[in-house]
Amino acid sequence: MTVFLFACAETASSPQLHLGDADLDWVGRKIFQNECAGKRECLVTWNQGEAFPSLGIGHFIWYPAGVEEKFKESFPLLFQYMLTQGVVAPSWILELDPFDAPWPSRQAFLAVQNSPQVEELRSFLERTKAQQVAFMFQRASSSLEAIIESAPVGSHETIRLRVMRLSETRGGAYALIDYVNFKGDGLSESERYKGEGWGLKQVLEEMDRFEQGRTSLLAFRMAAIFVLERRAHNAANPIEKEKWLPGWKNRLTTYTDSEAL
């Protein structure tokens, strides 16, 4: 039986998730299914309506030169993490200076999406799934205390307790890790529409609307639906509400306490 540990609320220690290798592998497979339906070709892709390609099992964002968006760029952070883990990367990626996505537009990417260079990148991402999920785990774990401390005065321990309860099951730990990878930690002021964020911080803060008589994970899922519906409503681009929101909601249905692998 896996034990999920959390730093005690009474201590000054930062909250931390602790997962065994088998559970991290399970989380990685769940996220790969969420982002790519488990398909190899999706490890390097460029979604319609976006100004950047998405890479790896977590669809990490990589901006081309000159592109500045609201969303936190994550592939360069992942790549640097993998280098610290001793991963051998394709030489052409190591030679990029500056470290920008080498395709200036979706059209340019689609023209070369099956080229030897892109296939080499897919193979690299296919063989580094373990490092990618370890990065996502580290990213979620390191964000928890910052999220708690950024909450309104008087609600720190309430947010801490919510995280503690979620971390006590594999399904809850997966939800925390996946949501940070999926929609961010919610701390960046740039990731706002009409002043409203959509990251993990906002979901944890909105859980009080749904907690009565429900498990922590169900309340988390319902709060996430609320936050993402608000984001889609506030978005200037109708694609978020018309096309992306149904997929986001479908992803949230995987946040359950089921132990099935």
Side-chain angles (χ1 to χ4, degrees), residues 154-175:
S155 65
H156 290 186
E157 293 311 312
T158 297
I159 301 298
R160 190 184 298 273
L161 182 60
R162 287 171 182 162
V163 176
M164 180 184 71
R165 288 174 174 166
L166 287 164
S167 72
E168 289 173 346
T169 68
R170 182 168 71 166
Y174 154 64

Side-chain angles (χ1 to χ4, degrees), residues 157-230:
E157 293 311 312
T158 297
I159 301 298
R160 190 184 298 273
L161 182 60
R162 287 171 182 162
V163 176
M164 180 184 71
R165 288 174 174 166
L166 287 164
S167 72
E168 289 173 346
T169 68
R170 182 168 71 166
Y174 154 64
L176 291 169
I177 295 167
D178 182 69
Y179 198 87
V180 171
N181 177 70
F182 172 40
K183 289 300 175 203
D185 55 29
L187 295 171
S188 174
E189 290 299 322
S190 70
E191 294 184 326
R192 302 281 189 273
Y193 291 156
K194 298 182 179 179
E196 300 280 8
W198 51 77
L200 180 61
K201 173 187 174 180
Q202 287 76 34
V203 175
L204 291 169
E205 289 177 345
E206 296 292 355
M207 282 178 64
D208 59 344
R209 297 173 180 269
F210 308 101
E211 286 177 314
Q212 189 171 2
R214 298 184 176 95
T215 66
S216 292
L217 190 50
L218 179 55
F220 180 88
R221 189 164 72 240
M222 294 178 72
I225 292 171
F226 174 84
V227 166
L228 292 178
E229 285 180 339
R230 183 175 67 192

Side-chain angles (χ1 to χ4, degrees), residues 12 16 25 36 44 75 82 103 173 177 196 222 231 239:
Q16 291 292 322
D25 178 69
C36 290
V44 183
F75 180 71
M82 290 199 290
W103 316 286
I177 295 167
E196 300 280 8
M222 294 178 72
R231 166 180 163 160
I239 195 173

